[in-house]
Amino acid sequence: QVKPQFESKENRNCPMFTAIVYRTQVVAGINYFIKVQVSATTYVHLRVFQSLPHQNQGPSLVSFQTGKTRDDPLTYF
């Protein structure tokens, strides 16, 4: 659901956009930290916020880090 947000902010088209692993952090909603494969050798880390259900809002891309590899640890950012 956040692929269009990432592509818009990064100004690029990603034919591959596969989540590899994720972590969560409970706040006033949930922060998801997601490692996404965007090409054969390129990965990005996304921070996505999902608000509480009663707010009825979809997930939003808060920030991201590019230039990651498959072996880079997925940490809070």
Side-chain angles (χ1 to χ4, degrees), residues 26-73:
V26 177
V27 288
I30 300 175
N31 279 324
Y32 290 93
F33 299 91
I34 309 167
K35 182 182 293 190
V36 177
Q37 185 174 8
V38 293
S39 75
T41 58
T42 307
Y43 295 78
V44 296
H45 291 180
L46 307 179
R47 186 167 99 199
V48 176
F49 178 73
Q50 176 64 59
S51 61
L52 296 171
H54 73 276
Q55 293 178 327
N56 201 23
Q57 296 178 359
S60 65
L61 179 63
V62 176
S63 62
F64 59 90
Q65 297 175 331
T66 58
K68 297 293 186 175
T69 67
R70 185 174 184 92
D71 297 327
D72 285 335

Side-chain angles (χ1 to χ4, degrees), residues 2-35:
V2 297
K3 180 182 178 188
Q5 295 174 47
F6 174 76
E7 289 176 330
S8 174
K9 289 181 179 184
E10 187 65 6
N11 196 24
R12 67 190 249 194
N13 185 17
C14 300
M16 177 186 285
F17 201 81
T18 307
I20 303 300
V21 67
Y22 74 96
R23 298 177 68 187
T24 59
Q25 176 190 37
V26 177
V27 288
I30 300 175
N31 279 324
Y32 290 93
F33 299 91
I34 309 167
K35 182 182 293 190

